[in-house]
Amino acid sequence: MMWRRSETSTPKKPSSTKDDMAAREQLALECKRAYKTYCARQSACNRLGKRARAWNWALVSLATSTAVASIGMLTDRTMYGENGDTLMVCLAVLALVASLATTNMDYSGRSRNMFLNYRKIQRISVEMERLLHQSRAPVTADAVANLSDEYQSLLDEAENHTTGDHLRHFSRTHVTTHPHYSVDPALYSKRRRSMAIDAAITLLPYATLAVPVVLIAPLVAKIVP
């Protein structure tokens, strides 16, 4: 009696190559997005830090100069004209308002929070690049989704960067050549204007240094023969 070999075929295991390619494409997009955010928030951290230092120096110089000028008026009440007393009161109020406004803006604290945030995003970006370039094991959709969720959570931990921060990290040549960054030329001029506004606000405290110069000059003229 002859037995026939069973012709039922064993099920084939689905190939994971296509899934791996799709996951890698999605991971590449997430990696590019995370890298751009990391660079922009690093720029925001530097911007906020510069504003904090600028306002600190402006307030110190303003308070010191008004104190010295007030001492000078003890010997010569007409050093700053007939309304010198009114001028000193106005400058004292100005220094108080600037101090309260700077405290309310909390540039130092925001800069520190932005630093911690961009460092976390940098770690996510590095992990995405490591996973993207590994060849020994396939990239799974779950792994990409977990990294994406973690990246989205980090976005909510700090304030958002400005469009000027987004561009400040990249020169015109860098924008066109860097593999992680591309920008629509139509938006370039708009972002450049935003970057110029950010720079103007950052430099604004240094304009107040003219006040100490104006206050100290008459005092020096009185002291120096």
Side-chain angles (χ1 to χ4, degrees):
M1 185 176 180
M2 297 180 62
W3 295 91
R4 293 185 178 180
R5 180 179 298 177
S6 175
E7 296 180 356
T8 57
S9 59
T10 58
K12 296 181 179 180
K13 294 182 179 179
S15 175
S16 61
T17 303
K18 187 176 295 186
D19 295 337
D20 177 69
M21 291 180 60
R24 287 181 183 273
E25 290 179 359
Q26 181 61 33
L27 181 60
L29 294 175
E30 296 290 343
C31 183
K32 179 180 178 180
R33 186 179 297 117
Y35 179 81
K36 289 164 59 177
T37 304
Y38 146 65
C39 290
R41 296 204 167 181
Q42 183 184 39
S43 180
C45 173
N46 294 333
R47 170 177 57 84
L48 294 171
K50 289 179 180 178
R51 289 184 183 179
R53 291 188 293 272
W55 277 113
N56 287 339
W57 281 111
L59 292 175
V60 169
S61 61
L62 182 59
T64 303
S65 60
T66 52
V68 172
S70 299
I71 295 173
M73 288 184 63
L74 294 176
T75 57
D76 186 359
R77 299 187 63 84
T78 62
M79 182 182 300
Y80 300 104
E82 296 181 357
N83 298 319
D85 293 338
T86 304
L87 175 63
M88 290 297 105
V89 172
C90 292
L91 290 177
V93 173
L94 176 62
L96 176 62
V97 172
S99 177
L100 294 175
T102 304
T103 303
N104 184 60
M105 294 300 293
D106 191 22
Y107 286 123
S108 297
R110 291 163 60 194
S111 176
R112 178 61 181 173
N113 291 338
M114 192 66 76
F115 170 77
L116 296 176
N117 184 254
Y118 89 70
R119 286 290 292 124
K120 293 178 182 178
I121 295 178
Q122 184 184 28
R123 295 189 188 98
I124 290 291
S125 177
V126 171
E127 177 62 20
M128 287 178 176
E129 289 185 357
R130 185 196 66 78
L131 188 62
L132 183 63
H133 291 95
Q134 75 173 9
S135 57
R136 292 179 294 178
V139 178
T140 63
D142 290 340
V144 177
N146 291 335
L147 288 173
S148 179
D149 290 342
E150 187 175 354
Y151 165 70
Q152 293 297 329
S153 297
L154 292 176
L155 291 181
D156 299 332
E157 287 188 1
E159 64 181 282
N160 197 17
H161 51 268
T162 65
T163 52
D165 296 326
H166 191 71
L167 185 62
R168 193 171 290 108
H169 242 280
F170 304 92
S171 65
R172 183 181 293 273
T173 304
H174 205 175
V175 166
T176 57
T177 60
H178 199 280
H180 281 293
Y181 193 90
S182 62
V183 64
D184 186 354
L187 298 176
Y188 190 84
S189 60
K190 179 180 179 181
R191 288 183 172 135
R192 292 289 295 184
R193 287 195 298 271
S194 177
M195 188 168 62
I197 293 173
D198 284 348
I201 296 174
T202 302
L203 294 175
L204 178 62
Y206 293 106
T208 63
L209 296 178
V211 176
V213 174
V214 173
L215 290 178
I216 297 300
L219 181 62
V220 173
K222 289 287 185 180
I223 296 175
V224 179

